[in-house]
């Protein structure tokens, strides 16, 4: 006999929105909600399983006996099963036992809206309530737009929580411990934002979180949901924005997860040409199904609303956009117009961006999109996808390839380091040196550099200096800030012991100072996405492997002249054209002694002379330190 009380919190309008793909707060109705109903404590459950013949709640409260608590299916053909079970309490483990009307299969499934899970490899959900957390970031939320907008400094530290730092016995740091250690570190290093690789519950550690199952639950590996809130809160109280990696592109086939949820292809597309990813052996969401669109956009809303997240970096966008992504001929079918675009996914991404930007003030969405798909950061109204930013993968590839070359050959590859400026303003680009570039035999960023040890560190400082003065926002993966030698290994801590050695300590000091320089120099960010913010002085001095350019902000008096010397040769008496009269002052130099450099500086005021050079009617004589970036202003 069922002990479930018939009760519903869904209105007809809720169902209408759900079916139309326009219900963006499903988490308020779906899932498991502790409450008092008719004077009785218990939990209201609601789950979508349209092809089920029965849905039973099993858990600690009924000794996992499916015969006791069967949910009631709604009368309106929505496929939602629901009901109130008395006396169930917060902290109780549970799952759904679903019998399929389609093929008679019986499976034990997670609640797709569960807020908390057992620690893997255990898979049950845990009844939880997150409404009791008292946020202390009111100030941040009130001025977030001023910190998070596209004309503000954006320097992102990308972190994998499980391997940033570990306890001495190899166990994970908790969210609570990270709220002290990681927040203090990111603040000391002067980054403006932190980006977490996926924190949503995932079963398999080697997936780094990108094969996730519990879309509404931060991983219990590191603590409870409120502990993760506390971590975000701590960042906000220290004026640091929080970006979450979000994965609406695919999900794993684990039996307890979303795949074949009610015995049918409910969340994944039924056609394997659209519903199965050959590279990742994972399932692809069915963007043609409105209820799935409601689920995914609700998930984005959930993290933005309940966890005060400031930006979502959307993973693997290219795999969503193209029907032939990573597929050979015959493994995909063209769309109705004969093209290779996944029109449903394009429509979904437009709906997602329109919805989140319309409902949350001061947030950003960032696309990890590796192709030349047009208009990723163009507004939806103008035919674009509506993202705030897009990763500049071409810049990353060309730059790392250039820096891996011995400087003696760089004069033959000048175009590799200048080509990015031919398309730098076609999108709102973020320059990424991400986790993807330091795994699977690619070597760490430091190990990619050419030359002996001194030259490798000098090259790395130059690379970062060039990166931070190039148009666009910045992202640096953990370990890169102190020059980790080894590739990233998700199963252990970064090599913090390297900071006992001067070159690594100097690199850390350099990145700290570079962030300060970037944040305090409006010319480097106010027009980061506009051609008005950049001007070449010299891009064709291949013989010396030197480039020079001007970065411009709103106040032209604060323009910054940047010069990069990509050779280990000290260039003395190097004449450079400058845009106006005055005196030139060096404001930053990657060759400073405190950074591990050789200390070749341009000291004092440098006289600007009426001598033509580089198309300018005035010029100045500089010392260009080896393998270094130097920045100047005219007074």
């Amino acid at each position: 006999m069922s002990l479930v009380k018939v009760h519903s919190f869904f209105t007809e309008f809720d169902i209408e929105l759900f079916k139309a793909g326009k219900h963006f707060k499903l988490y308020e109705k779906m899932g498991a909600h502790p409450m008092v109903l008719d004077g009785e404590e218990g939990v209201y459950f609601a789950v979508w399983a349209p092809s089920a013949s029965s849905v039973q709640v099993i858990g600690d409260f009924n000794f996992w006996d499916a015969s006791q608590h069967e949910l009631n299916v709604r009368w309106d053909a929505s496929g939602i099963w629901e009901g109130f079970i008395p006396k169930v309490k917060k902290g109780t483990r549970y799952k759904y036992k679903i019998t399929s009307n389609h093929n008679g299969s019986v499976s034990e499934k997670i609640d797709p809206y569960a807020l908390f899970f057992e620690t893997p490899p255990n898979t049950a959900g845990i009844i939880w309530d997150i409404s009791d957390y008292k946020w202390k970031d009111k100030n941040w939320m009130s001025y977030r737009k001023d910190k998070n907008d596209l004309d503000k400094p954006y320097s992102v530290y990308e972190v994998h929580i499980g391997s940033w730092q570990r306890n001495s016995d190899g166990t994970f740091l908790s969210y609570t411990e990270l709220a002290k250690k990681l927040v203090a570190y990111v603040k000391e290093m002067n980054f403006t934002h932190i980006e977490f690789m996926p924190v949503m519950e995932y079963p398999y550690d080697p997936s780094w979180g990108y094969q996730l199952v519990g879309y509404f639950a931060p991983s219990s590996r590191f603590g409870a949901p409120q502990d993760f809130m506390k971590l975000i809160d701590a960042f906000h109280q220290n004026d640091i924005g929080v970006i979450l990696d979000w994965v609406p592109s695919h999900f794993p086939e684990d039996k307890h997860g979303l795949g074949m949820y009610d015995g049918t292809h409910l969340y994944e597309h039924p056609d394997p040409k659209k519903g199965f990813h050959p590279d990742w052996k994972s399932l692809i969401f069915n963007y043609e199904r409105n209820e799935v669109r409601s689920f995914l956009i609700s998930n984005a809303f959930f993290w933005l609303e309940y966890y005060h997240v400031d930006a979502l970096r959307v993973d693997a966008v290219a795999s969503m956009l193209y029907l032939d992504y990573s597929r050979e001929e015959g493994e995909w079918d063209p769309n109705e117009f004969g093209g290779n675009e996944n029109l449903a996914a394009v429509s979904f991404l437009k709906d997602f961006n329109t919805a989140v930007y319309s409902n949350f003030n001061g947030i950003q969405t960032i696309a990890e999109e590796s192709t030349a798909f047009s208009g990723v950061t163009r507004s939806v109204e103008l035919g674009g996808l509506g993202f705030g930013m897009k990763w500049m993968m071409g810049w990353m590839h060309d730059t790392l390839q250039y820096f891996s070359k011995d400087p003696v050959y760089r004069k033959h590859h000048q175009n590799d380091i200048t080509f990015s400026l031919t398309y730098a303003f076609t999108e709102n680009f973020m320059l990424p040196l991400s986790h993807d570039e330091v795994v699977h035999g690619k070597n760490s960023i430091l190990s990619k550099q050419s030359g002996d040890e001194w030259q490798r560190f000098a090259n790395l400082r130059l690379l970062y200096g060039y990166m931070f003065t190039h148009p666009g926002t910045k992202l640096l993966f953990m370990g890169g800030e102190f020059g980790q030698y080894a590739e990233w290994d998700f199963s252990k801590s970064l090599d913090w012991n390297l900071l006992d050695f001067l070159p690594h300590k100097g690199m850390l000091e350099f990145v700290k100072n570079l962030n300060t320089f970037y944040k305090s120099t409006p010319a480097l960010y106010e027009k980061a996405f506009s051609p008005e913010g950049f001007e070449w002085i010299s891009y064709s001095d291949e013989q010396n492997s030197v480039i020079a350019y001007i970065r411009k902000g709103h106040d032209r008096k604060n323009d910054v002249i940047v010069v990069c010397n990509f050779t280990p040769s000290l260039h003395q008496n190097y004449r450079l054209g400058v845009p106006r009269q005055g005196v030139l002052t060096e404001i930053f130099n990657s060759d400073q002694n405190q950074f591990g450099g050789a200390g070749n500086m341009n000291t004092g005021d440098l006289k600007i002379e009426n001598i033509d050079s580089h198309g300018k009617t005035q010029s100045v004589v500089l010392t260009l330190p080896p393998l270094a970036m130097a920045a100047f202003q005219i007074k």
Side-chain angles (χ1 to χ4, degrees):
M1 185 179 87
S2 177
L3 302 176
V4 176
K5 289 188 176 182
V6 177
H7 193 84
S8 180
F9 287 95
F10 287 90
T11 66
E12 289 186 19
F13 188 52
D14 283 325
I15 302 302
E16 182 181 326
L17 289 174
F18 179 46
K19 289 182 174 181
K22 299 295 183 183
H23 199 311
F24 301 148
K25 292 195 173 186
L26 282 176
Y27 47 86
E28 293 181 346
K29 304 295 176 74
M30 296 284 197
H33 299 271
M35 62 180 62
V36 176
L37 184 65
D38 298 331
E40 194 169 23
E41 289 188 8
V43 174
Y44 166 75
F45 295 88
V47 63
W48 179 52
S51 292
S53 59
S54 68
V55 176
Q56 296 149 325
V57 187
I58 53 176
D60 292 331
F61 55 92
N62 61 14
F63 304 100
W64 302 88
D65 179 358
S67 67
Q68 296 190 43
H69 296 100
E70 184 169 324
L71 298 180
N72 307 286
V73 67
R74 286 182 59 86
W75 54 268
D76 53 14
S78 64
I80 296 172
W81 298 74
E82 58 185 347
F84 177 81
I85 304 179
K87 299 180 181 178
V88 179
K89 297 182 181 298
K90 175 181 173 180
T92 303
R93 298 180 304 157
Y94 74 108
K95 282 185 179 179
Y96 294 123
K97 188 170 185 178
I98 299 175
T99 303
S100 176
N101 194 38
H102 172 70
N103 56 16
S105 65
V106 180
S107 55
E108 293 185 2
K109 292 289 190 178
I110 63 160
D111 178 357
Y113 294 85
L115 302 177
F116 195 20
F117 283 92
E118 293 182 283
T119 303
N122 297 319
T123 58
I126 299 174
I127 305 292
W128 208 253
D129 181 10
I130 59 173
S131 63
D132 61 348
Y133 184 78
K134 305 299 182 185
W135 287 89
K136 299 176 183 177
D137 63 349
K138 183 178 180 180
N139 287 341
W140 168 266
M141 297 299 284
S142 69
Y143 58 64
R144 173 171 68 177
K145 184 173 174 57
D146 292 331
K147 296 281 188 177
N148 207 36
D149 218 345
L150 295 178
D151 62 349
K152 299 300 188 294
Y154 226 90
S155 171
V156 182
Y157 186 55
E158 186 190 24
V159 167
H160 177 260
I161 288 181
S163 58
W164 176 72
Q165 192 177 108
R166 291 196 175 189
N167 294 310
S168 57
D169 60 359
T171 57
F172 296 128
L173 293 183
S174 68
Y175 293 130
T176 301
E177 291 169 321
L178 290 164
K180 297 177 180 178
K181 292 185 177 182
L182 181 58
V183 172
Y185 180 76
V186 174
K187 184 175 184 179
E188 180 188 1
M189 292 302 299
N190 296 312
F191 287 97
T192 66
H193 293 73
I194 185 164
E195 177 179 324
F196 288 119
M197 292 167 66
V199 298
M200 301 81 175
E201 194 61 81
Y202 54 97
Y204 187 52
D205 285 277
S207 78
W208 312 335
Y210 289 101
Q211 297 265 7
L212 60 98
V213 171
Y215 271 75
F216 290 81
S219 179
S220 59
R221 291 167 175 81
F222 315 106
Q226 280 86 344
D227 297 329
F228 186 54
M229 290 175 164
K230 182 179 180 180
L231 174 57
I232 295 174
D233 208 350
F235 275 114
H236 285 172
Q237 291 174 57
N238 285 277
D239 275 354
I240 298 165
V242 177
I243 305 168
L244 292 190
D245 273 14
W246 185 54
V247 191
S249 47
H250 65 117
F251 56 93
E253 292 186 287
D254 295 62
K255 290 182 179 179
H256 65 284
L258 300 181
M260 296 294 290
Y261 191 78
D262 60 358
T264 69
H265 299 285
L266 188 62
Y267 287 91
E268 69 273 23
H269 199 286
D271 181 352
K273 291 182 178 180
K274 293 183 180 180
F276 182 77
H277 199 293
D279 286 350
W280 304 321
K281 303 295 186 285
S282 56
L283 303 175
I284 301 171
F285 282 105
N286 185 358
Y287 308 109
E288 299 169 18
R289 191 160 196 167
N290 285 337
E291 294 91 341
V292 172
R293 294 162 76 108
S294 287
F295 168 79
L296 287 171
I297 298 178
S298 289
N299 185 243
F301 270 50
F302 173 79
W303 294 103
L304 294 168
E305 178 180 352
Y306 276 90
Y307 283 82
H308 291 199
V309 169
D310 306 298
L312 294 172
R313 177 266 195 188
V314 183
D315 182 63
V317 172
S319 74
M320 300 170 66
L321 293 176
Y322 295 103
L323 296 166
D324 60 345
Y325 184 89
S326 200
R327 298 178 192 273
E328 302 296 331
E329 187 176 349
E331 295 179 346
W332 65 282
D333 295 322
N335 63 36
E336 60 189 277
F337 302 108
N340 65 343
E341 296 89 358
N342 186 331
L343 300 179
V346 170
S347 170
F348 162 74
L349 289 170
K350 290 181 177 182
D351 283 356
F352 153 69
N353 279 311
T354 298
V356 296
Y357 277 108
S358 298
N359 285 274
F360 297 94
N361 188 42
I363 60 97
Q364 296 291 348
T365 63
I366 305 164
E368 188 228 355
E369 204 286 305
S370 55
T371 74
F373 191 94
S374 178
V376 172
T377 58
R378 191 184 307 135
S379 71
V380 173
E381 291 78 9
L382 296 177
L385 296 182
F387 282 94
M389 286 176 265
K390 167 183 170 171
W391 276 20
M392 197 176 191
M393 308 298 280
W395 170 89
M396 177 275 300
H397 177 269
D398 290 347
T399 299
L400 292 179
Q401 186 176 61
Y402 180 84
F403 273 86
S404 70
K405 298 183 186 302
D406 188 301
V408 72
Y409 301 115
R410 289 178 179 174
K411 61 185 177 183
H412 304 299
H413 298 275
Q414 186 90 342
N415 188 58
D416 287 351
I417 206 68
T418 61
F419 180 69
S420 59
L421 271 304
T422 65
Y423 63 95
F425 306 109
T426 58
E427 300 276 7
N428 298 339
F429 281 118
M430 172 177 280
L431 279 56
L433 292 175
S434 74
H435 65 276
D436 279 328
E437 309 318 315
V438 294
V439 290
H440 302 323
K442 295 179 184 177
N443 293 321
S444 68
I445 299 295
L446 177 64
S447 297
K448 295 177 194 288
Q449 310 305 311
S450 65
D452 59 23
E453 183 180 74
W454 189 92
Q455 290 179 341
R456 284 199 298 273
F457 278 94
N459 266 309
L460 190 57
R461 293 193 300 273
L462 171 57
L463 167 55
Y464 293 160
Y466 162 68
M467 173 186 182
F468 273 66
T469 57
H470 187 289
T473 53
K474 330 296 174 187
L475 178 140
L476 187 63
F477 183 57
M478 63 182 198
E481 75 277 15
F482 60 81
Q484 171 139 328
Y485 269 117
E487 282 191 343
W488 170 53
D489 183 347
F490 74 91
S491 66
K492 65 179 185 179
S493 171
L494 296 178
D495 296 329
W496 293 103
N497 60 300
L498 291 175
L499 290 175
D500 293 336
F501 302 96
L502 289 177
H504 299 277
K505 191 174 182 179
M507 181 58 66
L508 190 80
E509 190 67 20
F510 170 72
V511 172
K512 184 189 304 184
N513 280 267
L514 183 62
N515 271 324
T516 299
F517 171 59
Y518 169 62
K519 291 197 300 183
S520 62
T521 309
L524 297 179
Y525 58 79
E526 286 182 340
K527 296 183 178 181
F529 307 117
S530 168
E532 296 177 355
F534 181 88
E535 178 186 338
W536 279 115
I537 296 177
S538 173
Y539 57 83
S540 58
D541 185 2
E542 296 97 345
Q543 196 60 38
N544 291 306
S545 295
V546 170
I547 62 172
Y549 44 90
I550 306 171
R551 293 300 313 279
K552 307 172 184 179
H554 299 314
D555 187 348
R556 293 299 309 281
K557 294 178 182 178
N558 295 323
D559 286 359
V560 174
I561 296 171
V562 180
V563 188
C564 297
N565 174 13
F566 297 105
T567 74
S569 300
L570 176 67
H571 296 322
Q572 294 180 315
N573 301 315
Y574 189 95
R575 185 167 292 279
L576 185 75
V578 293
R580 58 186 174 86
Q581 282 288 356
V583 292
L584 198 70
T585 303
E586 186 175 84
I587 57 175
F588 195 84
N589 188 322
S590 68
D591 195 43
Q592 292 182 51
N593 293 129
Q594 64 173 321
F595 306 148
N600 295 288
M601 313 290 290
N602 292 271
T603 57
D605 294 335
L606 306 175
K607 183 180 179 182
I608 296 175
E609 303 172 290
N610 291 320
I611 299 175
D612 292 356
S613 184
H614 297 98
K616 310 291 185 184
T617 58
Q618 53 277 318
S619 60
V620 65
V621 173
L622 302 174
T623 294
L624 303 187
L627 297 174
M629 178 277 286
F632 306 85
Q633 280 186 324
I634 299 175
K635 294 182 179 180

